[in-house]
Amino acid sequence: MMIYLWLILLALVVYAVFKRFYTPKYLTTLTQEDFIKGYRKAQLIDVREPREYEGGHILGSRNIPMSQLRQRANEVRTDQPVYLYCQSGARSRQAAQFLKKKRGVEDIYHLQGGFKKWTGKIKKK
């Protein structure tokens, strides 16, 4: 009986790790260089919480925190590319999944490594 519990626990851990690092086909992960090339012609959205955003964010980004995305999804246009970023990449993946599923957004990109790897210009509030 105990072995089954361990197998279930192991399966859940493997699934959680897979889910965190798997990038779906509709989401394109971009290096900072490629991200910079395209984000000025797109909707640049920071999905971190307001206190993180105020501590420093990519110039020109809008803050729509992951915790508010459900209520504010209509602020994201479906006819323009969407460039997402968060601190490390996990929340931007979640945001991409939500925007694809609920808003039908097709053109979605996110920053490899997230804001913590960003070396470009930033703005602080």
Side-chain angles (χ1 to χ4, degrees):
M1 182 68 173
M2 196 65 164
I3 190 97
Y4 291 118
L5 291 174
W6 280 110
L7 287 173
I8 290 170
L9 182 62
L10 178 64
L12 288 172
V13 169
V14 168
Y15 175 75
V17 168
F18 173 79
K19 223 24 196 161
R20 178 165 171 87
F21 295 104
Y22 170 74
T23 301
K25 288 183 178 119
Y26 58 80
L27 176 62
T28 305
T29 302
L30 297 176
T31 63
Q32 179 174 312
E33 187 178 279
D34 290 334
F35 198 82
I36 289 170
K37 285 179 188 172
Y39 81 77
R40 287 183 186 88
K41 299 175 192 140
Q43 302 170 84
L44 178 58
I45 301 171
D46 183 329
V47 297
R48 298 176 303 154
E49 291 305 307
R51 63 178 170 67
E52 294 173 283
Y53 181 80
E54 289 164 9
H57 56 271
I58 298 173
L59 207 57
S61 66
R62 257 189 314 160
N63 186 217
I64 304 179
M66 189 63 211
S67 62
Q68 298 174 17
L69 191 59
R70 187 173 301 281
Q71 296 84 4
R72 297 178 59 191
N74 61 343
E75 294 178 33
V76 181
R77 294 181 56 163
T78 58
D79 63 338
Q80 290 181 342
V82 176
Y83 277 54
L84 300 167
Y85 73 93
C86 62
Q87 194 64 23
S88 65
R91 285 178 282 180
S92 56
R93 263 191 217 93
Q94 285 180 304
Q97 181 181 17
F98 177 82
L99 291 170
K100 169 74 173 153
K101 196 173 182 179
K102 300 294 184 196
R103 293 279 295 151
V105 178
E106 295 291 330
D107 211 1
I108 310 173
Y109 305 86
H110 86 131
L111 178 61
Q112 181 179 27
F115 187 73
K116 71 179 179 188
K117 301 277 187 186
W118 182 258
T119 59
K121 291 183 180 179
I122 65 166
K123 181 177 181 181
K124 291 185 179 186
K125 285 215 168 189

